[in-house]
Amino acid sequence: VTTELEVLAALADPTRWHLLDTIGSARAGATATVLAADLPVSRQAVVKHLGVLERAGLIAGRRAGREMRYSVRVERLDATARWMTEAARRWDQRLAAIKQLAESLDEPGRAAGTG
Amino acid sequence: LHIEPGNEESGMSKDRIEREIVISAPVSRVWAVLTEPQHVGSWFGQGPAAEIDLRPGGIMRLDHGEHGQFPTLIVKVDAPNYFAYRWASAYPGEVATDGNSTLVEFFLAVEGEGTRLRVVESGFAGLSIPAERESTAGYDSHSAGWTEVTGNIKRYAEKPAP
């Protein structure tokens, strides 16, 4: 569970979201220098955000010359989308259980606490 | 790729999960199932009665067996139409706070002879990650909501791997 929450938390920051979006658009991946040129934040700040994204498993870096070049890891995003779907399914199950319980408490007097 | 709003399908956009069901029982009875210890214990726990201090700021102790105990923080009690609490589902044993939990809201409305029950769980994208893994300060901005996240997740997921 924590893994997916980590992904969601990593994406909760608008700058990181923008970075992920930009990296996803770059066919050959992107470096911190290129990414920073596009943002009103320092290269150092970008590096920090990239670290959060990488720890959450959302991007992967590989060395390209003097810099790291990052690309998006689709699997983790896909897994998180599936996790959200699963969480919704669990609520469907709970609602069904609530319905069954409420409908089986036939007499008001037998519904404990209401008599 | 560009940021686009997510769509409403599957009730999962906007940083939230939203589900509903129609129940053939009066609102008062559905309210009892949502708020009374012996009922909550059976649909949202492992069977034993949940300990519930039914007031804003009170704790509803959910026992999820092997997954642990969840001291859930009651946010609002507006009988019999609205009930809200914070649930730290990723942090067994920890009292729910703004930073470690999602907000679960129940809306009850009369529907014919029965009740329409809607549940909304929100705040996923705003969850903090455990402190030991996150040294960057401040999650003050939560403006990038689940709308964008889901929409884009789908697009990334459907995009062939590079």
Side-chain angles (χ1 to χ4, degrees):
Chain A
V1 169
T2 315
T3 309
E4 283 77 14
L5 294 182
E6 234 175 299
V7 169
L8 293 169
L11 294 178
D13 182 286
T15 302
R16 284 200 288 275
W17 182 251
H18 177 85
L19 286 170
L20 190 69
D21 195 38
T22 308
I23 295 167
S25 314
R27 275 254 159 255
T31 62
T33 306
V34 168
L35 291 165
D38 198 29
L39 283 167
V41 296
S42 68
R43 182 183 175 282
Q44 197 184 358
V46 167
V47 167
K48 222 171 201 178
H49 284 306
L50 290 174
V52 175
L53 289 173
E54 190 169 27
R55 282 196 297 280
L58 289 165
I59 60 173
R62 61 176 193 286
R63 189 153 285 285
R66 254 179 275 174
E67 279 209 276
M68 295 295 284
R69 187 172 286 276
Y70 293 91
S71 52
V72 169
R73 289 178 61 189
V74 177
E75 318 79 46
R76 188 53 67 84
L77 278 164
D78 192 24
T80 303
R82 281 201 305 272
W83 181 81
M84 282 296 279
T85 305
E86 177 60 21
R89 198 185 59 79
R90 282 195 296 271
W91 273 117
D92 283 338
Q93 289 176 338
R94 290 184 199 116
L95 290 181
I98 290 167
K99 178 182 167 76
Q100 202 180 357
L101 257 173
E103 291 178 355
S104 68
L105 303 172
D106 29 58
E107 297 303 316
R110 283 179 56 192
T114 60
Chain B
L1 278 173
H2 297 285
I3 293 171
E4 282 180 4
N7 54 36
E8 295 290 331
E9 77 177 296
S10 73
M12 280 171 41
S13 52
K14 286 189 249 131
D15 188 20
R16 60 167 50 197
I17 289 171
E18 190 169 340
R19 313 304 273 179
E20 64 175 34
I21 198 166
V22 174
I23 299 173
S24 306
V27 168
S28 61
R29 207 177 296 165
V30 176
W31 177 261
V33 171
L34 292 178
T35 58
E36 290 178 10
Q38 74 279 23
H39 298 315
V40 174
S42 69
W43 71 262
F44 205 1
Q46 299 286 310
E51 184 188 307
I52 303 178
D53 181 9
L54 193 62
R55 60 178 177 85
I59 295 291
M60 173 164 76
R61 205 167 293 279
L62 301 170
D63 184 354
H64 288 210
E66 60 181 71
H67 303 294
Q69 296 254 342
F70 296 85
T72 296
L73 182 70
I74 295 172
V75 174
K76 195 169 178 191
V77 183
D78 187 6
N81 300 111
Y82 180 79
F83 182 40
Y85 50 76
R86 296 205 69 94
W87 179 35
S89 61
Y91 299 83
E94 284 184 32
V95 172
T97 62
D98 284 356
N100 69 2
S101 64
T102 48
L103 179 68
V104 175
E105 297 171 284
F106 293 98
F107 299 86
L108 298 80
V110 174
E111 170 100 358
E113 308 255 296
T115 304
R116 178 173 294 270
L117 172 64
R118 186 157 64 93
V119 63
V120 177
E121 183 174 5
S122 60
F124 291 97
L127 282 167
S128 303
I129 59 181
E132 64 268 24
R133 298 188 210 173
E134 169 63 278
S135 52
T136 314
Y139 271 98
D140 42 327
S141 178
H142 293 161
S143 63
W146 188 241
T147 303
E148 294 157 36
V149 179
T150 19
N152 284 275
I153 280 175
K154 283 180 185 168
R155 300 179 60 159
Y156 282 123
E158 286 157 7
K159 197 174 101 174

